Amino acid sequence: MLHEILLSLSGHPSPLLTADHSSSSSILSPPEKALLSSIAHLSNLHCKLLAHTATIATSHPSSICQAVATAIKSTHLGNFQRKVLEVEDGILRKDAGTVGAYNIVPLTAIVGEFSGWTRRMEWFLEVVEYMMRGNGGEGKNCSGAMLIDRLCQAMQTGYVDIEEAALSLVRVAETAWLKQVSAWVLYGRLPSFGREDFFVQIVHGDIQEYLSKPELLPAFVSASTASSVLFIGRSLNHIRVKGVSSAKSPELDLLSSHLQQLSTLKFPINGANFSRVITSIRISLSQTTLQKLLPLSRVVEILSLLREFFLLGRGEFAIALITEADDKIRSRWRRSDNLGYDKRDGLGNIVVKDGEVSAVLARTWAAMGSLQGQYEEEQDEDELLELARDLVQLSITKSSSTTPSKGQQTASKIVSTPFKNLLLSVPVSLSLHIPSPLDLFLTPADVQTYSSVNAYLLSIHRAHLRLTDLWKITSLRRDHPAPPGPPYGSSTAGRNKVQTIRSRGKERSRAMRSVWATSSAAVFFLGETEAYLQGEVVQGTWVGFKTWLAGGPSRPTTPRSQEDDGDDIWLQAAREPAPQAGISNTHDPQTLADAHRRYLSALATSLLLTNASFTDPLYHLLQQVDHLVALVYRVHSIWQSLDLEADEGVVDAFSDFHKEERDIKEQLVTVANRVKGGIEEIVKNLRDIDQEKEGWDNGFAELVLGEEGAYLPTKVGRVDRLLMKLDFGGWFDVGKKDAGDLGFGDDSDYEI
């Protein structure tokens, strides 16, 4: 019997323990049954652990789980097996602690020897089953980070034996995890095995990019530390893949130093210590290698390019791009109209193709070049223009393309309002080819953010330009023809003709009165909105960021302190911090990248691009403005044809211009009311946004107050400043229909 018990405890199932002893014919007494049940439970635990750990060690996708399973099997189950051998050895040696009088071995003594193992073996089984089933049985495999967090929590159970076992497994798990991190931090290589379990993952696309998955991070790793680890590995991978010869030697020299810093970490890993080591490695790599590879001057150059061409810093570029795009659309429609009906294939003759989109940008660069030839520009601006020619691209956005998710997501997310559809009637976006080594600082996600902001600002500017161009149609605004010369002008027929022409002009002027009133108000609204977004928000945020890049404070002196000081310039000078020489040299690429993402987040929030309640009605308004402009041009063309028909006798037998005139007039009234209603809705939503203030500070969260010299976005442009400019005469107030304050007359004057 003792032999069967010891064999079963060693992991070999025994019929003695597995048999059913509940029948009345059993030779075992109730105490013996109870003692054997505890032995059977321990034996069952041991057998399950042996089977499960063997399965995990050979087939689990996580190398950390494999290491922990191997440690349980080789270390802890090995200790249990040695305990079985010790008990057997004591029995054979007739040790008095186990063998009693007359060489009797009490069953209670055997059970007592293994009483301390039951709780540990049950806990080991819980850990092993957790590795096998994942989190809550949701079909998600257990990752190394999940296992590390669970083991760290088990150290707080209060049982000394469980704490010691959990601590030993934590050392094993964190050692395996640290090996993965070391391969990435020291060499820029992803682990060869268990790559899917590592928090740094490859994004396969047009450009190979790396991202950080927060769900694969242990709890002791903060988001900023994970960002630094990602940056270090990306930089080393970039140096290795691009074959930068000048940076190889410093990298090898720093390897031993970085390895020594990692070796100073103690288990279990403390989050603060790990962050300190990673920060030290990042700064060391930046100061020795990356500052030579990516100097601050190149960063400022590419940021200036983005400011000038994506954020409409150069107004002539935006105007040239809008002009060329409108010319392309008009030429496509004109070409479609010239084709015979049988040769038209629906929208195929109207929709712009990829090559034509690229040609629009090429003609835009040609127009910019002609402007450069007319005016004497600085050499730096010429170089920036040439750089933009090489890097900036205009292309059709595919519907299947999605924004790559980043581990360092900005607090605010740009809404999906399709402003990209307004320029060429197809979704086009301005993009930037990121040259090496600027990809250490700039990511494709950043470029897509710039593209979204560019489409947003460009669509507002385009609608503003198209509305103001209506005033160039002089014959629609004022048409008071002079009488013909004598002798025809002195005759009755001549005078009647002049009166007919003038009465026709007055009728058309009355018909267009509401259109001009609505267009004037829309021009005012778009002009003030554009001035607010570009003049205050974009420019103010950029000036603060550029000042920080140059080594100055990221925020100016607070207005409160200036008001308190009054005109005491000496007191103001005493309060201002002394300039720190060479502070710009401390901006390593990772610090620059983090500050740049914070800058983009603040910019998107201030531009209201994160608020769908503003962008959606604005997009609808811009569509109605395009419709209104098209109708005005169409009614002008119809009136010209009617004038030719009435005055010169030129008749188009295939067109009924009188019917078209009636239809266009009705549409003009409808669309003008839609434009007015759209502006009223936007202003109402702006008031709601100003009242709620919810989520307004997303881009200004002061997450880095503990870091000296960290970038904090400048708080510029508030909604109330825009509302003060838009509140004029009460025309925009929802529910007010009296336009007399503007001199437009009552509602009857708007009838056509």
Side-chain angles (χ1 to χ4, degrees):
M1 184 175 178
L2 291 177
H3 182 68
E4 290 291 332
I5 291 175
L6 294 177
L7 282 177
S8 64
L9 289 175
S10 299
H12 305 282
S14 173
L16 177 65
L17 302 182
T18 57
D20 186 12
H21 300 287
S22 60
S23 62
S24 59
S25 61
S26 176
I27 62 174
L28 299 178
S29 62
E32 289 176 334
K33 293 178 182 180
L35 292 173
L36 286 179
S37 65
S38 64
I39 294 293
H41 177 59
L42 193 57
S43 174
N44 187 36
L45 291 174
H46 191 193
C47 293
K48 286 184 178 180
L49 286 172
L50 288 174
H52 292 343
T53 52
T55 302
I56 294 173
T58 55
S59 61
H60 201 282
S62 171
S63 59
I64 298 175
C65 292
Q66 289 188 3
V68 171
T70 303
I72 292 175
K73 181 179 180 180
S74 61
T75 303
H76 299 281
L77 297 186
N79 292 338
F80 181 75
Q81 183 66 42
R82 282 190 290 272
K83 179 62 177 178
V84 174
L85 295 177
E86 289 177 3
V87 172
E88 184 181 11
D89 181 66
I91 294 174
L92 294 176
R93 289 188 294 102
K94 298 181 181 181
D95 188 359
T98 306
V99 182
Y102 305 104
N103 294 329
I104 296 175
V105 180
L107 189 56
T108 54
I110 301 296
V111 175
E113 290 288 342
F114 297 98
S115 60
W117 280 91
T118 302
R119 182 168 54 236
R120 272 180 285 176
M121 299 290 275
E122 290 175 346
W123 180 78
F124 286 143
L125 185 61
E126 291 179 3
V127 173
V128 169
E129 289 179 345
Y130 179 78
M131 288 189 285
M132 296 186 67
R133 70 173 184 269
N135 189 8
E138 300 176 356
K140 181 180 179 182
N141 291 330
C142 177
S143 64
M146 294 165 56
L147 180 59
I148 291 175
D149 294 341
R150 184 178 179 90
L151 293 176
C152 291
Q153 293 175 0
M155 294 174 57
Q156 312 298 326
T157 57
Y159 296 104
V160 178
D161 52 349
I162 299 297
E163 180 182 356
E164 293 176 352
L167 180 59
S168 66
L169 295 183
V170 165
R171 291 194 185 99
V172 173
E174 291 184 349
T175 301
W177 181 82
L178 193 58
K179 287 181 179 179
Q180 294 180 336
V181 174
S182 300
W184 178 250
V185 170
L186 299 178
Y187 305 100
R189 299 179 184 273
L190 292 175
S192 57
F193 178 74
R195 181 173 299 184
E196 296 77 10
D197 188 46
F198 191 48
F199 71 94
V200 176
Q201 297 287 319
I202 299 179
V203 179
H204 296 284
D206 298 336
I207 300 176
Q208 181 172 294
E209 185 58 36
Y210 297 92
L211 60 86
S212 174
K213 290 190 173 181
E215 63 271 16
L216 297 179
L217 279 172
F220 62 83
V221 182
S222 63
S224 60
T225 304
S227 176
S228 297
V229 173
L230 177 64
F231 170 78
I232 294 171
R234 286 180 63 249
S235 303
L236 294 175
N237 183 271
H238 180 279
I239 294 172
R240 177 173 54 84
V241 172
K242 301 297 182 181
V244 184
S245 59
S246 61
K248 285 183 178 179
S249 178
E251 176 196 355
L252 295 176
D253 294 339
L254 292 172
L255 181 59
S256 60
S257 174
H258 295 170
L259 182 59
Q260 184 178 2
Q261 294 183 36
L262 287 173
S263 63
T264 60
L265 292 173
K266 305 296 182 182
F267 300 106
I269 298 177
N270 180 269
N273 293 336
F274 182 73
S275 177
R276 173 184 53 80
V277 170
I278 294 300
T279 303
S280 176
I281 294 176
R282 174 175 60 85
I283 294 176
S284 174
L285 182 65
S286 300
Q287 292 178 348
T288 56
T289 302
L290 298 182
Q291 281 194 354
K292 298 178 182 179
L293 187 63
L294 183 62
L296 184 61
S297 58
R298 293 205 61 184
V299 174
V300 174
E301 181 184 36
I302 198 67
L303 288 175
S304 300
L305 185 149
L306 291 167
R307 167 67 180 99
E308 294 292 320
F309 295 95
F310 281 78
L311 302 182
L312 308 190
R314 290 196 182 190
E316 61 271 20
F317 172 75
I319 294 175
L321 183 59
I322 293 171
T323 302
E324 296 298 334
D326 289 344
D327 289 344
K328 171 56 64 178
I329 293 295
R330 282 193 293 268
S331 66
R332 295 291 291 181
W333 279 104
R334 194 179 304 115
R335 187 185 310 170
S336 177
D337 291 339
N338 292 336
L339 293 175
Y341 182 80
D342 55 341
K343 295 183 179 180
R344 299 179 184 178
D345 53 350
L347 296 177
N349 296 315
I350 303 171
V351 177
V352 181
K353 305 298 191 301
D354 291 327
E356 293 173 319
V357 172
S358 302
V360 168
L361 184 60
R363 288 193 295 271
T364 302
W365 294 131
M368 293 286 292
S370 63
L371 290 176
Q372 291 289 331
Q374 296 177 9
Y375 304 99
E376 294 183 1
E377 299 290 344
E378 298 180 0
Q379 187 66 22
D380 292 342
E381 294 180 352
D382 293 338
E383 293 178 355
L384 199 62
L385 179 60
E386 293 301 323
L387 182 62
R389 287 176 183 266
D390 298 334
L391 301 182
V392 177
Q393 302 167 351
L394 184 67
S395 58
I396 296 179
T397 304
K398 305 300 181 182
S399 58
S400 59
S401 63
T402 56
T403 303
S405 59
K406 301 296 294 179
Q408 306 88 359
Q409 282 287 348
T410 55
S412 57
K413 296 181 180 180
I414 295 179
V415 296
S416 58
T417 308
F419 290 103
K420 298 178 181 180
N421 299 341
L422 295 176
L423 183 63
L424 283 166
S425 301
V426 292
V428 297
S429 62
L430 209 63
S431 59
L432 181 76
H433 170 68
I434 307 175
S436 174
L438 286 172
D439 50 359
L440 294 176
F441 159 75
L442 200 62
T443 64
D446 297 335
V447 174
Q448 285 205 341
T449 301
Y450 275 107
S451 299
S452 300
V453 175
N454 173 261
Y456 170 68
L457 297 176
L458 198 65
S459 60
I460 299 175
H461 191 52
R462 174 179 174 273
H464 189 197
L465 289 178
R466 297 197 70 190
L467 276 177
T468 54
D469 284 343
L470 294 181
W471 270 259
K472 297 179 182 179
I473 312 176
T474 307
S475 60
L476 281 180
R477 293 190 296 111
R478 53 172 182 261
D479 187 11
H480 193 76
Y488 180 72
S490 303
S491 64
T492 303
R495 289 193 295 270
N496 291 337
K497 182 176 182 179
V498 171
Q499 291 178 358
T500 300
I501 294 176
R502 290 183 175 177
S503 63
R504 183 175 61 194
K506 290 180 181 179
E507 179 184 358
R508 293 177 180 177
S509 178
R510 285 195 298 270
M512 290 294 295
R513 187 176 185 183
S514 65
V515 175
W516 290 120
T518 304
S519 299
S520 299
V523 166
F524 176 84
F525 170 79
L526 293 174
E528 292 299 330
T529 303
E530 190 176 9
Y532 165 78
L533 296 178
Q534 294 188 23
E536 294 189 25
V537 176
V538 176
Q539 180 64 16
T541 309
W542 164 248
V543 168
F545 186 49
K546 190 175 182 180
T547 303
W548 179 81
L549 289 174
S554 60
R555 289 185 179 178
T557 306
T558 58
R560 179 177 297 179
S561 63
Q562 293 178 356
E563 293 174 359
D564 294 342
D565 296 342
D567 296 331
D568 194 344
I569 60 175
W570 304 108
L571 184 57
Q572 293 181 15
R575 288 188 175 184
E576 292 178 356
Q580 301 178 10
I583 190 174
S584 60
N585 295 329
T586 63
H587 297 334
D588 61 278
Q590 172 64 15
T591 303
L592 291 174
D594 291 341
H596 181 242
R597 293 190 184 97
R598 201 171 295 118
Y599 159 75
L600 286 180
S601 176
L603 183 63
T605 302
S606 300
L607 289 174
L608 301 177
L609 259 178
T610 60
N611 200 318
S613 63
F614 174 77
T615 58
D616 288 346
L618 177 63
Y619 177 74
H620 177 71
L621 172 65
L622 298 180
Q623 286 182 311
Q624 298 305 319
V625 167
D626 283 348
H627 195 185
L628 180 65
V629 171
L631 290 175
V632 171
Y633 279 107
R634 180 56 184 162
V635 77
H636 176 59
S637 175
I638 291 173
W639 284 341
Q640 286 180 329
S641 300
L642 288 174
D643 292 345
L644 285 175
E645 182 177 340
D647 300 339
E648 306 297 337
V650 180
V651 179
D652 187 352
F654 298 98
S655 301
D656 186 356
F657 292 111
H658 292 284
K659 181 178 182 303
E660 289 188 28
E661 181 186 19
R662 290 193 298 270
D663 295 340
I664 295 298
K665 283 182 178 180
E666 293 176 0
Q667 294 182 39
L668 277 172
V669 174
T670 303
V671 175
N673 289 332
R674 289 177 182 174
V675 171
K676 178 182 177 181
I679 298 176
E680 291 174 344
E681 182 183 0
I682 292 175
V683 176
K684 177 180 180 298
N685 292 342
L686 283 175
R687 290 196 179 99
D688 295 339
I689 294 173
D690 183 51
Q691 292 295 328
E692 292 175 1
K693 303 287 186 182
E694 184 176 357
W696 180 253
D697 289 333
N698 280 342
F700 308 98
E702 301 183 359
L703 303 176
V704 288
L705 287 178
E707 301 179 12
E708 183 178 358
Y711 170 72
L712 294 178
T714 306
K715 293 185 177 181
V716 296
R718 310 295 279 184
V719 176
D720 53 356
R721 295 177 58 85
L722 177 59
L723 285 172
M724 285 189 294
K725 296 180 180 180
L726 296 180
D727 286 338
F728 68 103
W731 191 83
F732 289 107
D733 289 344
V734 179
K736 288 187 177 181
K737 300 299 182 181
D738 185 10
D741 293 338
L742 290 178
F744 296 156
D746 56 14
D747 290 342
S748 61
D749 293 334
Y750 290 92
E751 299 295 334
I752 294 181

